[in-house]
Amino acid sequence: MSRADLLVDLIKAGTRGDRGTFVRLVESMAAEERAKNHALLADRLIQGLNLNGNGRKPLGLAVPDEKALDLLHEIVPRRALDSLVLPPVVRMACDELVEEHHRADLLRTYNLEPRHRVLLAGPPGNGKTTLAEALADALMVPLFVVRYESVIGSFLGETSQRLRRVFEHIASRRCVLFFDEFDTLGKERGDTHETGEIKRVVSTLLMQIDALPSHAVTVVASNHPELLDRAVWRRFQLRLELPPPTRSMLEEWFRRFQDRVGEPLGWSPRALAMRLKGLSFAEAEQFGEDVLRRHVLALPDSNLKRIVETRLEAWQQRFTVRPDEPTRMTERIQDS
């Protein structure tokens, strides 16, 4: 939205007493100024929201403060969407989301907002955290990861209060806010084993997610989506599954890995995908790093084909400890 249109809409919202729209527009202005490194002006805009004519704070909005940074870990994104091997439906959804945010001005002329709430589900090690970072990179914004060890408190009401501080801090920033292992906070409220405190936390969390403006993209990841509260699901406009990689996806991963190395591995990507079928993307990354370490240490006389062969032998002797599949990797590979 252009600055002129933003100011006109701001005046209209103030004239008709539309408090929710007024706050959202001011937060958008603050986010734009913060993106231009005008932090002082952005803070003054947010402070203006909190004050009435007497200089008091009756509206319950908190100015973003430095203490909120203790609850978040800021990451400068370094992974690109193009570097990831994703299911086609997931890649298409991510491209659409990025386009909506880059063309948000056009959408808002039709009273539409870009989608900004994303739920990622799937077993561990298949790219949920990496995808959140890649989305932040594509949107050209920082990634803020919620630090559960700081957010979750032992006293009644402490967790909900800290969550409010997180969302108030994020509201005036263009960013991606990432909750890993979201089932830690978003558990089903109907679970009889959960305490009243957890239910209050879930209620607070859902209200804060609803109130967050669209320039702040919320991405949550869960290894156990079946544990999430039913009300959580409808909050998220995009619900994407990241399953374990297929053989063809692993083959594509090894093809890209070979391109990064800059020379033939001595084994075709197809052969490696067949030998290592059943690996997650995280395990494939570990295997690649293992090969690279041995390659660098063997320079200038490195034999990549032999290194890959010995790494395959070593990896086939590894144990894979998983609750649902406590078996040796050798057995997994031989059975496949």
Side-chain angles (χ1 to χ4, degrees):
M1 185 181 298
S2 69
R3 177 51 62 93
D5 290 338
L6 194 62
L7 290 173
V8 170
D9 288 345
L10 188 66
I11 292 171
K12 288 180 179 178
T15 301
R16 64 175 179 260
D18 186 345
R19 172 64 183 170
T21 301
F22 186 86
V23 170
R24 178 179 61 79
L25 291 169
V26 173
E27 287 174 339
S28 294
M29 293 176 65
E32 287 185 7
E33 295 304 326
R34 206 176 298 281
K36 298 174 185 175
N37 291 323
H38 298 161
L40 182 59
L41 177 56
D43 288 343
R44 290 180 64 186
L45 285 169
I46 298 301
Q47 288 169 355
L49 278 178
N50 292 280
L51 302 177
N52 63 11
N54 298 319
R56 296 175 183 170
K57 291 179 162 183
L59 299 173
L61 294 170
V63 178
D65 61 278
E66 294 300 320
K67 291 183 179 179
L69 295 177
D70 296 336
L71 309 175
L72 297 163
H73 178 50
E74 183 175 359
I75 296 174
V76 177
R78 302 188 185 280
R79 299 295 295 266
L81 272 175
D82 288 339
S83 71
L84 307 185
V85 180
L86 298 169
V89 66
V90 174
R91 179 57 194 264
M92 181 177 70
C94 291
D95 287 340
E96 291 175 349
L97 179 75
V98 171
E99 180 188 18
E100 289 172 16
H101 280 267
H102 286 322
R103 305 184 69 188
D105 289 352
L106 176 60
L107 289 176
R108 287 171 183 145
T109 61
Y110 290 87
N111 293 319
L112 295 169
E113 291 291 328
R115 289 173 291 181
H116 61 286
R117 296 189 291 269
V118 184
L119 171 62
L120 305 177
N126 292 303
K128 296 185 292 296
T129 302
T130 305
L131 181 54
E133 182 179 351
L135 282 173
D137 177 78
L139 294 169
M140 296 182 287
V141 297
L143 174 68
F144 287 97
V145 180
V146 176
R147 299 174 57 185
Y148 289 137
E149 72 276 11
S150 300
V151 168
I152 298 176
S154 57
F155 297 105
L156 186 66
E158 196 172 34
T159 301
S160 295
Q161 187 178 41
R162 290 174 180 175
L163 279 172
R164 288 192 187 96
R165 287 172 57 190
V166 165
F167 282 99
E168 287 164 352
H169 183 78
I170 292 298
S172 64
R173 285 163 168 77
R174 293 189 182 278
C175 64
V176 170
L177 175 65
F178 181 57
F179 289 84
D180 198 4
E181 299 184 11
F182 190 63
D183 39 276
T184 300
L185 292 175
K187 291 182 179 179
E188 169 61 55
R189 284 172 290 184
D191 189 344
T192 57
H193 295 93
E194 293 300 345
T195 65
E197 172 66 0
I198 287 295
K199 295 176 182 179
R200 283 188 289 272
V201 167
V202 174
S203 296
T204 297
L205 185 61
L206 296 181
M207 288 189 294
Q208 295 294 333
I209 287 175
D210 281 343
L212 204 60
S214 62
H215 58 253
V217 177
T218 303
V219 180
V220 305
S222 175
N223 299 330
H224 302 285
E226 70 279 1
L227 299 179
L228 295 176
D229 189 273
R230 284 166 291 180
V232 168
W233 288 90
R234 67 180 179 83
R235 255 69 182 192
F236 292 90
Q237 302 123 325
L238 283 176
R239 298 185 286 270
L240 306 176
E241 182 181 5
L242 292 176
T246 62
R247 186 197 56 76
S248 61
M249 293 172 73
L250 269 181
E251 182 178 343
E252 175 62 23
W253 190 94
F254 280 111
R255 184 176 294 110
R256 296 185 185 190
F257 173 70
Q258 182 171 256
D259 290 342
R260 294 204 311 267
V261 174
E263 58 182 286
L265 299 174
W267 291 69
S268 70
R270 180 182 178 85
L272 288 172
M274 290 293 294
R275 290 288 298 271
L276 295 171
K277 182 180 178 181
L279 261 63
S280 68
F281 280 124
E283 290 169 326
E285 290 273 4
Q286 292 172 11
F287 177 85
E289 290 177 358
D290 203 7
V291 168
L292 283 177
R293 273 191 291 266
R294 304 318 308 170
H295 172 57
V296 169
L297 292 173
L299 289 174
D301 302 317
S302 176
N303 183 329
L304 260 178
K305 182 177 181 179
R306 179 56 185 161
I307 289 173
V308 171
E309 184 176 343
T310 57
R311 292 303 92 196
L312 282 171
E313 293 172 357
W315 271 67
Q316 287 177 343
Q317 301 304 315
R318 284 173 42 134
F319 279 97
T320 302
V321 181
R322 293 179 179 173
D324 59 333
E325 191 185 2
T327 182
R328 189 186 292 270
M329 185 177 292
T330 307
E331 297 171 358
R332 290 167 55 202
I333 295 173
Q334 289 175 347
D335 290 344
S336 64

